[in-house]
Amino acid sequence: GENVEQHPSTLSVQEGDSAVIKCTYSDSASNYFPWYKQELGKRPQLIIDIRSNVGEKKDQRIAVTLNKTAKHFSLHITETQPEDSAVYFCAASLYSGGGADGLTFGKGTHLIIQP
Amino acid sequence: DAGVTQSPTHLIKTRGQHVTLRCSPISGHKSVSWYQQVLGQGPQFIFQYYEKEERGRGNFPDRFSARQFPNYSSELNVNALLLGDSALYLCASSLEGYTGELFFGEGSRLTVL
């Protein structure tokens, strides 16, 4: 089955700086790579996703890059703000809805924005 | 529109007991998935249901079971609870399980003593 590794486990950056979180996956058949943000005591919420036929996707301050050959993808947050503080999870799947095998998640990165 | 709703939000059980967790998907969504999130870890896939049929199952023992009702709501049942079953149980819904975004509920926090 799929295995997703995520680094770092904790990331502390100054407000206004950029943050980068990296993930690797094992199953070359995986086709869908979402990123979820989970605030303390809240539900995971999709913030951006990318499919295997795209190398990069951007939405305002957030971007995701995918390297299918190397089987890794990254989340980039620019001009970080206090409200960006949360736990971020990457995931991989064959299907965006999860399908029969579901989404496989990384262990998460606790992003701390220092004022 | 209401999002995915789950009940109860918190519950405490003792080892060996049984628990039932409930989930109502977003209106129009026919697929429900269940995930277990242990503290400090990412969610782990337990089941996916579509049109009342089990479509997929993760690496969980037979003590875990689920079902989906004609109105697309779902129940997750866990028998013979172990301390290690303490976790946040997340329900997610999607249109039909293969395409579309997964929307998560706020979860049911289960503590096993």
Side-chain angles (χ1 to χ4, degrees):
Chain A
E2 177 64 274
N3 182 52
V4 176
E5 300 283 343
Q6 182 172 348
H7 299 280
S9 56
T10 303
L11 178 60
S12 181
V13 301
Q14 290 292 124
E15 183 179 347
D17 287 350
S18 296
V20 180
I21 303 170
K22 299 182 179 182
C23 290
T24 60
Y25 62 99
S26 62
D27 189 349
S28 56
S30 287
N31 208 26
Y32 176 69
F33 307 92
W35 286 88
Y36 285 85
K37 175 183 181 181
Q38 188 175 30
E39 298 176 15
L40 190 62
K42 300 291 187 182
R43 71 186 74 194
Q45 289 191 294
L46 180 70
I47 55 171
I48 195 167
D49 58 14
I50 192 167
R51 285 170 169 78
S52 59
N53 59 344
V54 175
E56 183 173 356
K57 184 177 179 181
K58 189 174 182 179
D59 182 5
Q60 299 182 346
R61 297 186 297 108
I62 295 174
V64 57
T65 58
L66 171 66
N67 183 328
K68 279 224 77 176
T69 303
K71 288 191 274 189
H72 67 71
F73 56 113
S74 301
L75 177 71
H76 305 253
I77 305 175
T78 59
E79 300 172 11
T80 52
Q81 300 169 4
E83 54 265 35
D84 295 330
S85 293
V87 179
Y88 291 80
F89 293 97
C90 62
S93 174
L94 187 55
Y95 302 104
S96 62
D101 295 323
L103 298 181
T104 302
F105 284 84
K107 291 187 176 181
T109 297
H110 185 194
L111 177 62
I112 302 166
I113 308 301
Q114 302 277 9
Chain B
D1 277 341
V4 177
T5 58
Q6 294 186 241
S7 64
T9 54
H10 295 83
L11 68 166
I12 300 173
K13 294 285 187 178
T14 56
R15 280 178 298 174
Q17 285 190 312
H18 163 270
V19 68
T20 297
L21 308 177
R22 296 177 175 86
C23 171
S24 293
I26 291 172
S27 177
H29 284 192
K30 297 182 179 181
S31 179
V32 169
S33 299
W34 288 94
Y35 287 78
Q36 180 196 64
Q37 187 176 22
V38 173
L39 196 63
Q41 302 289 318
Q44 187 174 359
F45 174 68
I46 309 175
F47 288 110
Q48 186 189 78
Y49 275 77
Y50 175 66
E51 291 284 10
K52 303 183 295 273
E53 297 289 328
E54 180 183 308
R55 177 183 269 168
R57 182 187 185 113
N59 187 24
F60 280 81
D62 291 344
R63 300 185 296 106
F64 288 76
S65 63
R67 55 180 176 167
Q68 186 177 33
F69 300 99
N71 65 354
Y72 303 111
S73 67
S74 178
E75 281 183 357
L76 175 69
N77 295 282
V78 187
N79 292 323
L81 286 168
L82 303 174
L83 295 179
D85 295 331
S86 295
L88 180 68
Y89 288 85
L90 293 163
C91 174
S93 76
S94 62
L95 279 172
E96 51 82 2
Y98 282 102
T99 60
E101 180 183 339
L102 263 187
F103 292 86
F104 283 90
E106 297 283 2
S108 294
R109 171 75 64 188
L110 171 64
T111 301
V112 182
L113 301 177

